Amino acid sequence: MRKRLIQIFGFLISSMGWLFILCTMAMDYWRITQIGGQGGSFIIKVAWYWSNLWKDCFTDSTAVTNCRDYAVLWSVSYYVQAVRGLLMCGLTIGFFAVVCCFIGMDCTYIGGAEQTKDKLVFSGAVFHFVGGVSNIAAYCLYINRVAKVAFAPSVPGVLKYDLGPPIFLGLVGCFLIFFGAILYAVTVFRVVYRKRSGVQTIGGGTYMVPLSRGRSMYGGYNPSRMYEYYSSGRTTSQLSRLSETIPTKVSERDAFV
């Protein structure tokens, strides 16, 4: 029950993160700056310059906006192209991550056996992490470009922009994706790291408890498989001496004969 709740919570968290990432690609005001109105003066009109991944715009004090769309792909700045590509790659990987996790969740009735479903969830968690890294790399690249111009020496005619809301919303989405991936991985980490215990026997050999015991058609354990898990190098004579040291229980009827 706890495994199901954690996976459902991880699915909701990660899906919300991908929704945030998707919304930022269509949002305006990735970077914004204003001209005029300094010092609390209401006489000077204020104008805003802002941009997103698809256009540059200008808004005056009367709320009239004029935009210039980016004409073709190769006429866009290199960092804008890189941000677009990283975000699209991240969203593509995130799509497969959501599908794998949805099929492999414990509360769904598709995906096959439990071990197969756990492997799907673990694969989805890895895809979530890789997609989140791609997205956060895109936002960091855009932030680096804006900060580089903002902290550079003043040059006449060059505007210094501030970061807009989509950047912060995208960063929050990336952290939600990472958190969801961690929740998925916590529920299925035993698929990768299985715990096996050893039992010390006579002669220095070690008997490892099998991960899955073979069963017969009647549901009982197959005794013939018990010798397959002894360490290598065990000879027949050693096994015979080992069997002699095992005490046998004598029934009460045989004790009085």
Side-chain angles (χ1 to χ4, degrees), residues 154-172:
S154 299
V155 178
V158 177
L159 296 175
K160 294 185 177 182
Y161 289 89
D162 296 326
L163 297 175
I167 300 294
F168 301 101
L169 183 63
L171 292 176
V172 171

Side-chain angles (χ1 to χ4, degrees), residues 124-167:
V126 173
F127 286 155
H128 275 304
F129 185 80
V130 174
V133 169
S134 178
N135 292 328
I136 201 170
Y139 293 116
C140 289
L141 177 60
Y142 198 90
I143 291 171
N144 178 69
R145 178 66 180 184
V146 173
K148 184 178 179 180
V149 177
F151 291 102
S154 299
V155 178
V158 177
L159 296 175
K160 294 185 177 182
Y161 289 89
D162 296 326
L163 297 175
I167 300 294

